[in-house]
Amino acid sequence: MSIEFDNNLPIYLQIMQYIKRQIVTGTLKAGDKIPSVRELAAELQINPNTVQRTFQELEREEVVETKRGLGRYVTSEESKIMTIKKEMAGELLERFLTGMQELGIKEHDIVNIVADAVAEGKQSSHHDGRGGTVNE
């Protein structure tokens, strides 16, 4: 695990985001054991107290659960994982819309730009990268 830390955001929040991203992308699955405080602190070369705070916040949000004597595990509640995914998607969408509005792009144009990009994405998956199309 490697994280490039942003000096403008508390480290524990950045680690929380990283772990949540691993969960929603399936790198960490429901019920998986997560590293111990000591393991993660050593791996990231940060203070164990920071990792402990991260885990406490993840537990408070019910993203991870502690099994006494066994360690911490990713929640097995799929609905919680879906909620995290929706929150992260909402944050991405908000940043995107803010950026587009700062560029002075109108709402209907944003919709068209997104629709065109989605259509291009579908088409490019059928191209060979050299201008030709791939026969399926």
Side-chain angles (χ1 to χ4, degrees), residues 71-130:
R72 288 185 176 88
Y73 293 80
V74 174
T75 183
S76 51
E77 287 185 46
E78 291 293 332
S79 63
K80 184 65 184 174
I81 294 171
M82 186 52 72
T83 298
I84 296 167
K85 187 178 262 189
K86 286 179 182 176
E87 287 172 1
M88 293 178 97
E91 291 168 7
L92 278 172
L93 186 57
E94 189 175 320
R95 286 196 305 268
F96 169 76
L97 289 174
T98 299
M100 296 299 270
Q101 289 164 348
E102 286 173 356
L103 292 174
I105 299 173
K106 303 286 183 232
E107 284 181 25
H108 67 279
D109 291 329
I110 294 172
V111 171
N112 291 335
I113 289 168
V114 170
D116 290 348
V118 169
E120 267 182 38
K122 286 180 182 175
Q123 288 175 355
S124 68
S125 67
H126 297 296
H127 287 85
D128 64 6
R130 297 174 297 195

Side-chain angles (χ1 to χ4, degrees), residues 6 33 36 38 53-54 82 85-86 91 116 132 135:
D6 177 351
K33 189 176 192 310
S36 71
R38 269 190 232 130
R53 177 156 187 208
T54 300
M82 186 52 72
K85 187 178 262 189
K86 286 179 182 176
E91 291 168 7
D116 290 348
N135 294 328

Side-chain angles (χ1 to χ4, degrees), residues 8-122:
N8 299 318
L9 194 62
I11 291 174
Y12 82 95
L13 290 176
Q14 294 177 64
I15 299 169
M16 284 179 69
Q17 281 301 108
Y18 181 80
I19 291 172
K20 287 178 178 180
R21 186 173 304 277
Q22 285 193 311
I23 292 168
V24 300
T25 60
T27 304
L28 282 174
K29 295 179 182 11
D32 280 357
K33 189 176 192 310
I34 61 174
S36 71
V37 170
R38 269 190 232 130
E39 289 171 337
L40 194 54
E43 192 175 332
L44 297 176
Q45 299 180 344
I46 60 173
N47 189 312
N49 292 332
T50 302
V51 176
Q52 182 63 35
R53 177 156 187 208
T54 300
F55 288 170
Q56 286 173 337
E57 288 297 314
L58 288 170
E59 278 187 50
R60 188 183 60 72
E61 292 184 11
E62 300 176 351
V63 175
V64 300
E65 52 198 15
T66 298
K67 296 181 181 177
R68 195 182 269 289
L70 299 174
R72 288 185 176 88
Y73 293 80
V74 174
T75 183
S76 51
E77 287 185 46
E78 291 293 332
S79 63
K80 184 65 184 174
I81 294 171
M82 186 52 72
T83 298
I84 296 167
K85 187 178 262 189
K86 286 179 182 176
E87 287 172 1
M88 293 178 97
E91 291 168 7
L92 278 172
L93 186 57
E94 189 175 320
R95 286 196 305 268
F96 169 76
L97 289 174
T98 299
M100 296 299 270
Q101 289 164 348
E102 286 173 356
L103 292 174
I105 299 173
K106 303 286 183 232
E107 284 181 25
H108 67 279
D109 291 329
I110 294 172
V111 171
N112 291 335
I113 289 168
V114 170
D116 290 348
V118 169
E120 267 182 38
K122 286 180 182 175

